[in-house]
Amino acid sequence: MSGPPPPPPGGAGSGDVVQVWLVPDQRSERVLAALLAVLDAGERLRAESYRSDEDRRRFIVAHGAVRHIVAGQLGAPPRQIRWTSGPHGKPELAGRWRGAQVNLSHSGGIAMVAVTRSRRVGVDVQQVRPQVDAAAMAHRYFLPAEARLVGAAPDAEDRAERFARLWARKEALVKAHGGRLAQGLRIQVTGAAPTAAHRTEDAWSKGYRITDVAAPPGYRAAVALVDRAGFRVAWHRWTWPGPPPP
């Protein structure tokens, strides 16, 4: 499930560091119970709202893991992490334990968490789905140059890979901004990563820095920060911090 850490984007002199964790699937009932125990009342209600046991389990794993990760960064008990809704519903730290920017994404059987100390961050992971008509999806959602790039791939798997890579970049960008996906779909994110993206509107005028990050086979992932300054990625594989399950 793990992959090699990517080369640091933005150059060796980049001061900002993005901590990115891959959260693999967890199926032990003991681990799930422990992760459920650190969720707050609202998160538990959301978990119970899922009709599918699989979706419920993945929600518990992702949100329990993010609490442990953030708590480890801040020196806080996981149960004491508090969230509030920022612009357009993006969760932000609230209460006593703050001082970090956090974002979470999950797709298929994995999740990713990104944490920074200052700049707003967005992370996204996408499962590559060759069974989906990626060229048609790109034509519907992407800019013309991006749709042509996806459509020019030689086979369905390559088209799905290109689509997932570009979609992950756009989602990461929008999540860093805190806006709506429709805004990010209008920003071109092709080219080698890291790339700087910006629009002329006031809300986007600072620009954003986007880079791809390592993901397991069959997935593509990206992280974005507000401001076009460079940054480094520190890549981790999250493991359950308690005693090993039986």
Side-chain angles (χ1 to χ4, degrees):
M1 289 288 290
S2 62
S14 303
D16 288 324
V17 178
V18 183
Q19 305 287 343
V20 175
W21 279 265
L22 169 70
V23 180
D25 209 358
Q26 306 278 338
R27 292 186 176 271
S28 160
E29 291 300 323
R30 177 177 172 182
V31 170
L32 289 174
L35 292 174
L36 177 63
V38 303
L39 301 185
D40 63 26
E43 289 167 328
R44 293 186 191 187
L45 284 174
R46 289 175 63 193
E48 288 303 316
S49 71
Y50 284 101
R51 296 183 178 181
S52 161
D53 289 342
E54 188 78 355
D55 290 341
R56 185 181 307 112
R57 180 184 58 77
R58 288 175 176 174
F59 178 92
I60 293 169
V61 170
H63 289 262
V66 77
R67 282 181 167 271
H68 278 280
I69 289 166
V70 172
Q73 292 291 292
L74 299 179
R79 289 186 182 88
Q80 292 185 17
I81 298 298
R82 296 289 179 264
W83 305 101
T84 188
S85 291
H88 305 293
K90 180 181 179 181
E92 297 178 352
L93 286 170
R96 175 184 176 187
W97 301 103
R98 287 180 285 180
Q101 299 288 329
V102 185
N103 200 232
L104 165 67
S105 176
H106 44 86
S107 180
I110 66 169
M112 277 194 174
V113 179
V115 181
T116 66
R117 285 294 181 179
S118 55
R119 290 159 67 183
R120 295 201 310 273
V121 64
V123 66
D124 192 68
V125 58
Q126 292 290 324
Q127 191 170 16
V128 178
R129 300 180 184 274
Q131 70 275 20
V132 175
D133 189 342
M137 294 284 285
H139 179 74
R140 178 178 180 183
Y141 291 112
F142 289 171
L143 297 172
E146 295 169 331
R148 288 194 295 269
L149 177 67
V150 174
D155 55 45
E157 186 151 355
D158 284 339
R159 288 191 291 273
E161 186 279 330
R162 291 185 186 187
F163 181 86
R165 176 161 46 88
L166 295 178
W167 192 276
R169 290 181 183 185
K170 288 175 182 286
E171 284 264 22
L173 173 67
V174 170
K175 291 164 80 175
H177 175 68
R180 293 185 169 87
L181 180 59
Q183 297 172 301
L185 291 175
R186 298 195 299 267
I187 298 179
Q188 186 164 322
V189 294
T190 51
T195 183
H198 68 281
R199 290 181 66 84
T200 57
E201 293 94 332
D202 288 345
W204 295 80
S205 60
K206 283 188 175 182
Y208 296 81
R209 190 82 167 182
I210 313 167
T211 191
D212 301 330
V213 294
Y219 292 85
R220 296 295 179 268
V223 66
L225 265 68
V226 174
D227 190 309
R228 279 169 276 178
F231 60 87
R232 297 184 296 112
V233 172
W235 195 96
H236 315 271
R237 188 177 189 273
W238 187 79
T239 55
W240 166 241

